[in-house]
Amino acid sequence: MENLELSDNNFSGGVPFDLGRKMKNLFVLNLGKNNLGSGDASDLTFIDSLTNCSKLQIFGFYENGFGGVLPTSIANLSSHLNFLGAGRNQLVGTIPVGISNFVNLDTLGLEENHFSGVIPFEIGKLRNLELVSFSTNKLSGPIPESIGNLTRIFGLDLGGNNLNGTIPSSIENILGLHTLNLSHNFLTGPIPQTVGLFFSLTFMYLSYNSFKGALPLEIGKLNNLQELDVAENKLSGHIPNTLGNCLKMEGLFLEGNMFQGSIPLTFSTLKGIESLDLSSNNLSGQIPEDLAALVLLKNLNLSFNNLVGEVPLQGVFGNLSTISLVGNKGLCGGIAEMQLPACPKSIKKGNRLGFKIIVPIACIIPCLSLVLLLVAFLRKRKQKNKSLTQLVMGDDFLRVSYDQLLNATGGFSSLNLIGAGSFGTVYKGILHEGAKPIAIKVLNLERRGASKSFLAECEALRKTRHKNLLKIITVCSSTNHAGDDFKALVFEYMPNGSLEKWLHSGEDTPQQEWILSLSQRLNIAIDVACALEYLHHRCETPIVHCDLKPSNVLIDEDMIAHVGDFGLAKFLTINSGNSDGGQTNSLAIKGSIGYVAPEYGIGGRTSTEGDVYSYGILILEMLTGKRPTDELFTIRQSLHEFCKEALPERVMEIVDSRMLLVEPIEAENDAQKERVRRDKIRECSVSLVRIGIACSAESPSERMNIKDVIIGLMKIKEVFLGVGIHGRRQMRMRLTGEGTSRE
């Protein structure tokens, strides 16, 4: 027995104490969501026998009513364990220090038990952790500084405990955080300004603590933030205007603090907000009329402040059931159901007074405008002397000269040439002794469009930050020794080259290390999809790459893929949906032959669906090892049709046979295990081909959304690794907020 999946039933009666002695080959054991526990201290004695299961990777016994403490023998479980789910039981005692032995653990769920004591400092040894949930226990003491070692975490849930102290400074190392829940504890001190580093943060819950000081302005940098809850703390000062930059905000809860000043006018930019609670603070001034224009706002609570003036009549203010204004003695007007006093005439006469003031101001404005235009013109002339690095990339980037890049590459020696693209060549270089290698893309300015490509790439890269995008270090705009213009971009060096090399260098370099296994191809597909999802949906202005192909996918030393070459990238204007503001591609096809979406060839608008088409072709190329321009394909049959015709029976005939030779096998290679391995490879290959075909459909409307692509790929990965169990899915849903309410 390798996989024993018994979750989501009504089994009762306990777990056999010798289960592990008779099932030594267990890979997956999932007992979750049953009634196997009785609340007794002896409920978990069966764990002792699981120490014999040296291959165990998935162990779930959540939601069973198990009692007692976690036995010390749990620390002796397989070091291969990557999922441990024990949430929603009746467990007591402390969290065993021995869990630090599980160096491969990526999911740890102990939520909704009765654990006490401190969070072990040794948890910092689990550097592969992605999801951690200790919520709703009785844990005390500070959050250990070692939490900052867990740099891969995207879900951290410590809410509902008795934790004290401050938020550790090391938390700034966890840049990939998606969900952070520290609510309902006894934490103190300020909310650190470094929260602005968490660019991926979507949900942040810090309510019901004793945080003091101001709400950091840096929160406005969290462009992906959907919910912020800092209710019932001791925060003071003004509500930051920068919150208006969080354009994806759906829920903002600031009640029960000591905020003062007026309601920020920038809240009018939060077009997607549904719930806004500012009650029980010391806010003053008038209610901004623009709040009435927030059409999705369904719950507005401004009660118990010091607000004054007339209440708007439109939008959320027109429905008594969606708004609360009690405890503001200075308000007047509003709809009749609010039973507020009528506004005094002096307020309305104030408008006439305002008119008398506005008229002379309006006369002065044109004069001021002329002065400002003159100042702007003079500044623009001065800016010509600034370096291009400052102008297009900002002040935080390293500045390098032509001579430095010349020396770094040995005079742009062909020995350091590592690639060539549409608008230039790429060299490997080292700026100074002991420095890390860099990749230098030198633009061929004689090529038409090279300068425009250079600026487009600078503009795209300075506005993006994602682990699956190629990181730019700096740019150089200067002149060479002949006096000619010189432009270059400097990137992190990717030691494993491009995906193109891995897929198509087998004939010239037959060594096995240049061949990708199916699991590696799957991981690369996920990496590229995550990069596109970020560009399309999580940038302030959506970006279309326009030239996705294997040569533009770079692979680092850990075999993580990074999308690069944004020379053809386009920003999509907000008022044009998924198009580029009405511009078409009739003058030139944007992209590379074989990968460019068919609608671009007939003047179709640039769109995110065009990138999805290129991605679909990329998937099919990774699986078959064949370029879309291969001589095998004719006008009548494309790579898309070639793969579609093979579904599902003949898929194994078209996949790259080399990947079957290098797919790792952990178990001994007997006939049965080889058959199981090939069946799993076939199942995953078929699913991947289906996604590739769905993405590369001829009609843009029929292509998959990139978010659905990622979900599909993750399911394939779970099947391929044998980890498709309910516990992980449910825990991810809890930690990411999917399908859950704020409560």
Side-chain angles (χ1 to χ4, degrees):
M1 180 72 75
E2 293 181 347
N3 299 303
L4 183 57
E5 166 69 77
L6 301 175
S7 66
D8 290 275
N9 284 288
N10 289 309
F11 291 126
S12 59
V15 182
F17 72 92
D18 58 349
L19 180 69
R21 295 194 184 99
K22 298 182 178 182
M23 295 185 178
K24 296 182 179 180
N25 291 318
L26 274 179
F27 177 82
V28 174
L29 175 60
N30 187 13
L31 308 172
K33 296 188 72 172
N34 283 288
N35 301 308
L36 296 171
S38 61
D40 294 336
S42 60
D43 281 347
L44 298 180
T45 54
F46 71 94
I47 290 180
D48 295 344
S49 68
L50 295 180
T51 58
N52 295 316
C53 305
S54 60
K55 301 175 183 177
L56 190 64
Q57 292 193 24
I58 311 297
F59 182 27
F61 55 99
Y62 48 90
E63 292 188 51
N64 265 289
F66 288 125
V69 301
L70 284 177
T72 55
S73 60
I74 199 169
N76 298 322
L77 293 180
S78 167
S79 60
H80 299 295
L81 200 68
N82 59 46
F83 176 91
L84 178 60
R88 299 190 180 186
N89 284 294
Q90 301 176 37
L91 303 178
V92 297
T94 59
I95 299 174
V97 173
I99 63 170
S100 61
N101 296 339
F102 305 139
V103 292
N104 292 304
L105 204 64
D106 64 35
T107 303
L108 176 59
L110 304 178
E111 73 280 3
E112 296 185 41
N113 281 285
H114 305 291
F115 288 113
S116 57
V118 300
I119 299 174
F121 185 85
E122 289 77 7
I123 196 174
K125 297 179 180 180
L126 305 180
R127 295 177 181 269
N128 289 307
L129 275 179
E130 297 177 356
L131 292 166
V132 179
S133 181
F134 293 164
S135 64
T136 320
N137 280 285
K138 300 176 181 179
L139 299 172
S140 58
I143 301 172
E145 195 74 28
S146 62
I147 204 81
N149 296 337
L150 310 181
T151 56
R152 294 190 177 185
I153 283 185
F154 67 82
L156 178 61
D157 189 353
L158 305 179
N161 283 286
N162 299 315
L163 300 173
N164 56 39
T166 60
I167 297 177
S169 59
S170 64
I171 202 170
E172 66 186 57
N173 299 328
I174 314 176
L175 294 180
L177 263 179
H178 178 281
T179 298
L180 175 64
N181 183 11
L182 303 178
S183 62
H184 292 269
N185 280 289
F186 297 97
L187 299 171
T188 58
I191 297 173
Q193 296 179 348
T194 50
V195 296
L197 298 174
F198 302 140
F199 294 103
S200 300
L201 199 63
T202 306
F203 304 97
M204 182 160 67
Y205 305 116
L206 304 178
S207 60
Y208 290 89
N209 282 284
S210 296
F211 290 118
K212 296 181 179 180
L215 192 60
L217 295 173
E218 288 75 8
I219 284 183
K221 297 179 181 179
L222 305 181
N223 295 329
N224 296 302
L225 197 61
Q226 294 180 21
E227 278 198 19
L228 173 64
D229 189 351
V230 295
E232 302 299 334
N233 280 285
K234 299 177 181 179
L235 299 172
S236 57
H238 290 259
I239 298 174
N241 286 321
T242 55
L243 282 172
N245 298 331
C246 303
L247 301 181
K248 295 184 179 180
M249 188 77 76
E250 297 176 3
L252 179 57
F253 307 96
L254 308 181
E255 70 269 20
N257 284 284
M258 296 180 284
F259 290 117
Q260 59 189 33
S262 57
I263 299 172
L265 298 177
T266 55
F267 279 6
S268 62
T269 63
L270 304 178
K271 302 299 184 183
I273 197 162
E274 298 176 4
S275 296
L276 176 61
D277 194 337
L278 307 179
S279 62
S280 300
N281 280 286
N282 297 316
L283 300 176
S284 57
Q286 294 186 327
I287 299 173
E289 290 187 11
D290 288 343
L291 293 182
L294 300 175
V295 295
L296 298 180
L297 188 58
K298 299 295 186 294
N299 181 21
L300 176 62
N301 191 350
L302 304 178
S303 59
F304 298 104
N305 281 287
N306 301 309
L307 300 174
V308 298
E310 188 170 5
V311 176
L313 299 171
Q314 306 301 320
V316 68
F317 298 96
N319 187 342
L320 191 62
S321 65
T322 61
I323 186 170
S324 177
L325 299 174
V326 297
N328 290 281
K329 297 181 180 180
L331 292 177
C332 61
I335 59 175
E337 291 86 344
M338 291 184 182
Q339 298 182 352
L340 294 173
C343 293
K345 293 182 179 180
S346 58
I347 291 181
K348 296 180 180 179
K349 288 181 179 180
N351 292 333
R352 296 178 184 175
L353 178 61
F355 180 79
K356 294 178 181 179
I357 296 173
I358 289 172
V359 170
I361 291 177
C363 297
I364 296 172
I365 286 176
C367 298
L368 287 176
S369 299
L370 289 174
V371 173
L372 290 174
L373 284 173
L374 180 60
V375 171
F377 175 75
L378 294 174
R379 284 183 177 177
K380 189 173 182 180
R381 291 189 62 182
K382 288 183 179 180
Q383 280 186 333
K384 289 184 178 180
N385 296 323
K386 280 191 174 184
S387 70
L388 190 80
T389 305
Q390 290 174 286
L391 292 178
V392 302
M393 300 300 291
D395 294 322
D396 297 332
F397 286 80
L398 173 72
R399 298 187 181 99
V400 294
S401 65
Y402 169 79
D403 285 334
Q404 285 177 293
L405 297 183
L406 185 70
N407 295 330
T409 58
F412 299 111
S413 168
S414 59
L415 296 175
N416 289 320
L417 183 65
I418 56 176
S422 303
F423 297 109
T425 50
V426 183
Y427 298 87
K428 179 182 178 181
I430 298 178
L431 282 174
H432 55 81
E433 186 177 353
K436 291 183 178 180
I438 55 175
I440 303 161
K441 181 178 178 180
V442 179
L443 277 292
N444 178 9
L445 298 179
E446 294 181 359
R447 177 74 183 268
R448 182 180 179 184
S451 294
K452 184 178 180 181
S453 168
F454 174 75
L455 292 173
E457 192 153 10
C458 289
E459 181 68 11
L461 290 170
R462 79 181 181 89
K463 291 188 175 182
T464 57
R465 178 171 177 174
H466 191 273
K467 67 176 183 177
N468 296 123
L469 295 179
L470 188 61
K471 182 180 178 181
I472 189 168
I473 297 174
T474 189
V475 299
C476 177
S477 180
S478 183
T479 56
N480 60 22
H481 292 163
D484 299 321
D485 285 341
F486 174 85
K487 286 181 171 60
L489 300 105
V490 181
F491 299 96
E492 282 188 346
Y493 175 66
M494 296 285 113
N496 276 316
S498 69
L499 179 60
E500 170 85 11
K501 180 192 73 174
W502 285 90
L503 294 179
H504 302 299
S505 65
E507 298 175 0
D508 303 325
T509 315
Q511 293 94 333
Q512 182 168 315
E513 60 263 29
W514 298 111
I515 302 173
L516 295 169
S517 65
L518 177 57
S519 57
Q520 287 174 320
R521 296 177 201 225
L522 177 56
N523 284 331
I524 291 171
I526 293 172
D527 288 341
V528 176
C530 289
L532 287 183
E533 191 273 336
Y534 170 80
L535 293 172
H536 294 174
H537 300 288
R538 294 199 281 132
C539 289
E540 182 175 346
T541 303
I543 299 174
V544 181
H545 186 277
C546 290
D547 197 19
L548 187 64
K549 57 184 178 181
S551 60
N552 289 338
V553 176
L554 289 306
I555 302 173
D556 67 17
E557 58 187 359
D558 296 319
M559 295 304 292
I560 296 173
H562 304 255
V563 174
D565 197 342
F566 285 76
L568 298 179
K570 278 186 173 288
F571 289 84
L572 299 186
T573 54
I574 296 174
N575 60 359
S576 60
N578 267 2
S579 72
D580 59 355
Q583 296 178 0
T584 67
N585 298 323
S586 56
L587 296 178
I589 296 176
K590 299 295 184 183
S592 300
I593 295 175
Y595 305 93
V596 65
E599 64 270 17
Y600 289 178
I602 55 174
R605 294 176 176 177
T606 304
S607 67
T608 55
E609 288 85 1
D611 275 356
V612 172
Y613 178 89
S614 304
Y615 177 78
I617 297 299
L618 184 88
I619 291 283
L620 299 179
E621 184 174 357
M622 278 202 293
L623 287 171
T624 63
K626 299 184 185 302
R627 293 185 176 92
T629 55
D630 193 289
E631 60 183 15
L632 174 68
F633 307 125
T634 62
I635 296 177
R636 295 184 178 180
Q637 187 186 48
S638 61
L639 176 59
H640 172 94
E641 293 296 331
F642 174 73
C643 294
K644 188 175 182 180
E645 291 176 3
L647 276 175
E649 291 83 3
R650 294 192 300 107
V651 162
M652 296 310 292
E653 297 176 17
I654 67 169
V655 298
D656 187 351
S657 59
R658 298 176 301 160
M659 72 181 181
L660 305 179
L661 302 176
V662 296
E663 189 61 44
I665 309 172
E666 294 184 3
E668 51 276 8
N669 190 16
D670 58 28
Q672 182 179 1
K673 293 191 180 296
E674 177 64 15
R675 178 180 60 79
V676 172
R677 181 181 78 98
R678 286 188 171 272
D679 286 347
K680 191 174 288 187
I681 290 174
R682 179 186 179 279
E683 180 182 356
C684 293
S685 298
V686 169
S687 298
L688 282 169
V689 169
R690 291 190 190 279
I691 287 179
I693 289 173
C695 289
S696 57
E698 183 172 355
S699 172
S701 62
E702 295 177 0
R703 295 171 197 157
M704 291 182 70
N705 183 287
I706 198 65
K707 292 183 178 180
D708 295 329
V709 170
I710 293 173
I711 293 172
L713 292 174
M714 294 305 295
K715 288 181 179 178
I716 294 172
K717 184 175 181 179
E718 288 186 342
V719 170
F720 192 65
L721 298 178
V723 297
I725 66 174
H726 297 297
R728 177 173 297 193
R729 176 178 60 83
Q730 291 170 345
M731 184 173 298
R732 286 181 185 271
M733 286 179 66
R734 281 198 294 274
L735 286 176
T736 58
E738 297 176 25
T740 63
S741 66
R742 178 188 173 214
E743 290 74 22

